[in-house]
Amino acid sequence: MQFAGSHILSISQFERADVERVFAVADNMEPYARRRRRTRVLDGAILGAMFFEPSTRTRVSFGSAFNLLGGEVRETTGFEQSAIAKGESLYDTARVLSGYSDVIAMRHPVSGSVAEFAAASRVPVINGGDGSNEHPSQALLDLYTIKAELAGRGRGVDRLRIAMLGDLRYGRTVHSLCKLLGLFEQVQLVLVSPTELRMPAEIVETLKARGHEVVESDTLEASISHVDIVYSTRLQEERFTTREEADLYRGRFRLNQSIYTAHCEPNTVIMHPLPRDSRENARELDDDLNDNPNLAIFRQTDNGLLVRMALFALVLDVVDQVDACSTPVTWYTGRREL
Amino acid sequence: MQFAGSHILSISQFERADVERVFAVADNMEPYARRRRRTRVLDGAILGAMFFEPSTRTRVSFGSAFNLLGGEVRETTGFEQSAIAKGESLYDTARVLSGYSDVIAMRHPVSGSVAEFAAASRVPVINGGDGSNEHPSQALLDLYTIKAELAGRGRGVDRLRIAMLGDLRYGRTVHSLCKLLGLFEQVQLVLVSPTELRMPAEIVETLKARGHEVVESDTLEASISHVDIVYSTRLQEERFTTREEADLYRGRFRLNQSIYTAHCEPNTVIMHPLPRDSRENARELDDDLNDNPNLAIFRQTDNGLLVRMALFALVLDVVDQVDACSTPVTWYTGRREL
Amino acid sequence: MQFAGSHILSISQFERADVERVFAVADNMEPYARRRRRTRVLDGAILGAMFFEPSTRTRVSFGSAFNLLGGEVRETTGFEQSAIAKGESLYDTARVLSGYSDVIAMRHPVSGSVAEFAAASRVPVINGGDGSNEHPSQALLDLYTIKAELAGRGRGVDRLRIAMLGDLRYGRTVHSLCKLLGLFEQVQLVLVSPTELRMPAEIVETLKARGHEVVESDTLEASISHVDIVYSTRLQEERFTTREEADLYRGRFRLNQSIYTAHCEPNTVIMHPLPRDSRENARELDDDLNDNPNLAIFRQTDNGLLVRMALFALVLDVVDQVDACSTPVTWYTGRREL
């Protein structure tokens, strides 16, 4: 894959070597994301952050990543008041707005809209989520986190053992993660969901065809007993016929510290794409896991910065100049590693 | 006109020499807007972008222009939640907010409000549109585009032949453009509109009094046959008594490639202030014109950057320092000229 | 108080020496806030401005203050669409968002929420207002203004004579200001309010216990006759049983130039936390005071920049580096002192 000048629209653009290239660049971003050094490699470049659907987390992550490379950010949020809402075509919007920036990060509620926008854009576009379709930087940061969490243990993504929990039918993040995992070797997946919310069959078949091992289940305890990663997702109540049915499943997929201690191998990593629900009857991961050092959910969001910095550096072709434009950081950074 | 420290509120502030001064500075901005070079001449300066009425295009254009000169942007959008809505006077708002920035770009739904704000501001204010009243940077970028489009043909704005189409009665952009054209010599204007949406008589009379030739018409084909520029605008349905009447006119003013080929001289330039309506029954310019190299609508928005950079450089008095603060751009810029 | 790395949540964190430390740093920020010099001491640092409740004035002031130190700003405004609204805990929001910035300025409608957020944040958090609870930078800028206004007269905050007018029961700013004044010596306070909107008794008792003189009144004229500062606040109509009762009080607390001339000592300083209401029947300070050189309300908001710059420099521990990273400003700054 040729990164310079390319749109990043779908994880299906990525071969294994491309993923590894992104991760190698992301590794090099760590001193900048951790504020040990400052780089100005994108001094003067402008990110157009077009969030036609709200998303605090993803929007701020893209924006901060661009700032950390020395660039500026011009944001647009909301939709109702936009020219699109007044009948302007995505083609016109893309032609105009791409004239104001050097790269665009875009979220839009309609599946396929980001690709349509990108086709008319005069600068590279990174998909920040188009409806239920794609959110490639999330899948990349998830896999990057898996790799980083396991690194200290002398293991890699090849031969990974992972359990995915929750709504596997509609969850965009688990679909994308499965596709990325499929690029590696001998992954063992335990897919834990209510029967009506199972992983789509074609994703399962593709994984199996590539030699991966896939087991499906609808109970938690046994499924999480022999894995490296437990990847939990939100179980959406509205997917069920009755509330009683939802409650039934919720109890089965809710992870807390006592279940973790009783059933997981030591140092099993816990992940979640966030936000996790904190309301009593809707929790996927209990608060008593917050002190568990294997809870990696905030390392995931931290890694999102590294991955997005890497994507920007790659599409704007400045990977080799990042370090040369850098200086030490002089302000207070003491709390960050907490 | 003394630019340094001045507000830019109305095109009536501009004499021909002032317009030409803006355009000369805008010409010099091209390497920066096209990302061939980077300047930091406004390093540390802050633009207060006050958009009390939404406008993605104008807001992002002003913000990016300021970033391209090295400055920072602090934005305020919306109105309902503002102190003004809670009873604060424009005077107080202006006194306070002008203390936080070095120049302000402001849009407001109420005609005259930007001038009222400017009177109390402690920094220069650029009008980004006050209701149906003024939007001077739009008129300047339109005229700059006309000049640039004709430049390759050995012609200037003097002796320009231009057709303006659509709602000429309420269209703020065509009014302002007519006033600017009036500063030049021997312009020939064909004003094409429904009878009830004709250009206001005083604008026509002023043009004629200055020796320009003005013809009014309500049919498209003959009007666009001997002009350098066709300037199309939105025909707003709500201006008509019945939908049938609107449809009648819409058919007459809608330009597409076959009409262009049949009636226009070669290389007639097509302009529009945007957004253009992409809905089937409301189009002014058909999509089949998108491949016509004389469709200048996206060059207009690109030129908006140049003109707004020029206005900022002039009111902040840094025109002579722009180049001295510049360096080459090192990141990927390959797609921009597409 | 150890500033480096600390949260700034409440004025109760401040001893007199801490207040004086902030003010000394604020004094040094003047050349930068007034655009006589430019510093880049926070080059590469990111402010996360989290405004879960709208506030143009405070938000722009924090953002501009950070820009003036050379840093970047990533803003989030509004609440309805946020992950918090979808059930995410403040803990999770804080853990995630604090990974994207170096310091956070936060406003939130719920009292205590900023402290809860700060407890989970990995970077220093500055409270920009949490409901009716605290807004420490406002109290600091008010006191800084008092000190600055009196400075030319050879007087300090010790032995200050101040009248506070309006709703003293619910007004967050006057509560905080009283607490700060309590740290100094022999202050004389005249508290002027309707009986039902008197200053809370515990604040009055605390002031008296520290040896300050407190007089309470419900009429304007005598109260403002022998003071250095008249601090006016909004009288909120909804606090009264009937509109007639509100009108009765409003007349009594409304200050205009003729009352000022008739009753105040020469050069009595007029302050207000803003916004002041400009609607005919709701004014606290009439427009005819706008030409009175002792009207300090816009110097208050200007001083807000200095105080917020000081807080950022202190918590990020760059106070000693500000000047070394500075250069002269070269763009137009002629209007600012107006």
Side-chain angles (χ1 to χ4, degrees), chain B residues 5 7 40 43-45 72 74-76 86-88 91-92 95-96 100-102 122-123 316 321, chain C residues 35 38 40 57 59 63-64 67 72-73 275-276 278-279 290 298 302 305 330-332 335-336 338:
Chain B
H7 304 305
R40 302 183 55 80
D43 176 40
E72 293 287 339
R74 302 264 44 83
E75 282 186 348
T76 296
K86 293 180 204 156
E88 186 176 72
Y91 175 88
D92 278 16
R95 297 296 288 184
V96 171
Y100 300 152
S101 56
D102 297 284
R122 295 179 281 169
V123 299
L316 292 174
Q321 306 163 53
Chain C
R35 272 69 162 181
R38 156 73 169 157
R40 303 183 54 82
R57 184 185 318 275
R59 178 179 52 78
S64 292
N67 284 156
E72 293 287 340
V73 183
R276 62 171 167 169
S278 69
R279 291 171 290 198
N290 288 352
F298 305 118
D302 282 0
L305 269 186
T330 54
W331 64 81
Y332 174 86
R335 232 171 231 275
R336 182 160 308 279
L338 181 129

Side-chain angles (χ1 to χ4, degrees), chain C residues 72-331:
Chain C
E72 293 287 340
V73 183
R74 302 265 43 84
E75 283 186 348
T76 296
T77 57
F79 186 79
E80 300 75 12
Q81 306 280 9
S82 70
I84 298 177
K86 292 181 205 155
E88 186 176 73
S89 65
L90 268 177
Y91 175 89
D92 278 16
T93 304
R95 298 295 290 184
V96 171
L97 293 178
S98 63
Y100 301 152
S101 56
D102 297 285
V103 59
I104 287 172
M106 179 171 170
R107 172 167 288 201
H108 193 288
V110 177
S111 185
S113 57
V114 178
E116 184 184 344
F117 183 98
S121 170
R122 294 179 282 169
V123 299
V125 174
I126 299 179
N127 188 353
D130 60 325
S132 60
N133 186 35
E134 289 267 5
H135 188 12
S137 62
Q138 175 73 39
L140 289 166
L141 77 85
D142 282 343
L143 190 63
Y144 184 80
T145 301
I146 291 171
K147 182 170 173 288
E149 294 291 317
L150 299 185
R153 309 176 195 181
R155 306 197 46 189
V157 180
D158 294 323
R159 282 164 298 282
L160 174 73
R161 300 171 304 157
I162 183 169
M164 296 181 178
L165 313 181
D167 174 2
L168 306 184
R169 181 167 176 193
Y170 297 104
R172 178 175 63 185
T173 53
V174 284
H175 299 177
S176 298
L177 183 55
C178 280
K179 290 178 190 170
L180 277 187
L181 288 172
L183 300 174
F184 290 76
E185 300 294 325
Q186 300 178 50
V187 176
Q188 297 175 38
L189 298 100
V190 190
L191 304 178
V192 192
S193 69
T195 311
E196 51 274 71
L197 296 179
R198 287 169 62 183
M199 181 72 73
E202 77 264 23
I203 295 177
V204 173
E205 291 315 309
T206 302
L207 283 165
K208 288 182 175 172
R210 290 188 182 176
H212 303 293
E213 183 186 312
V214 184
V215 175
E216 294 185 83
S217 165
D218 67 352
T219 53
L220 180 71
E221 286 78 357
S223 307
I224 61 175
S225 301
H226 302 288
V227 296
D228 306 301
I229 306 282
V230 174
Y231 190 103
S232 172
T233 66
R234 178 176 286 234
L235 193 63
Q236 287 155 309
E237 193 170 304
E238 63 273 26
R239 305 295 188 194
F240 295 92
T241 323
T242 65
R243 191 194 167 98
E244 287 68 30
E245 197 185 346
D247 288 342
L248 188 72
Y249 280 111
R250 196 147 34 216
R252 284 206 224 153
F253 301 138
R254 180 170 169 177
L255 189 63
N256 60 28
Q257 186 58 39
S258 66
I259 296 171
Y260 180 91
T261 306
H263 296 281
C264 290
E265 294 179 2
N267 298 322
T268 300
V269 176
I270 308 164
M271 295 175 62
H272 190 292
L274 300 187
R276 62 171 167 169
D277 207 315
S278 69
R279 291 171 290 198
E280 177 54 28
N281 283 317
R283 283 184 197 146
E284 307 93 37
L285 296 177
D286 270 30
D287 287 349
D288 64 3
L289 293 163
N290 288 352
D291 294 326
N292 185 325
N294 296 296
L295 184 76
I297 58 178
F298 305 118
R299 292 192 289 275
Q300 282 174 271
T301 55
D302 282 0
N303 288 334
L305 269 186
L306 300 176
V307 166
R308 290 174 179 127
M309 290 172 78
L311 292 175
F312 286 133
L314 284 161
V315 301
L316 291 173
D317 202 21
V318 293
V319 169
D320 295 339
Q321 306 163 53
V322 171
D323 294 343
C325 301
S326 76
T327 50
V329 158
T330 54
W331 64 81

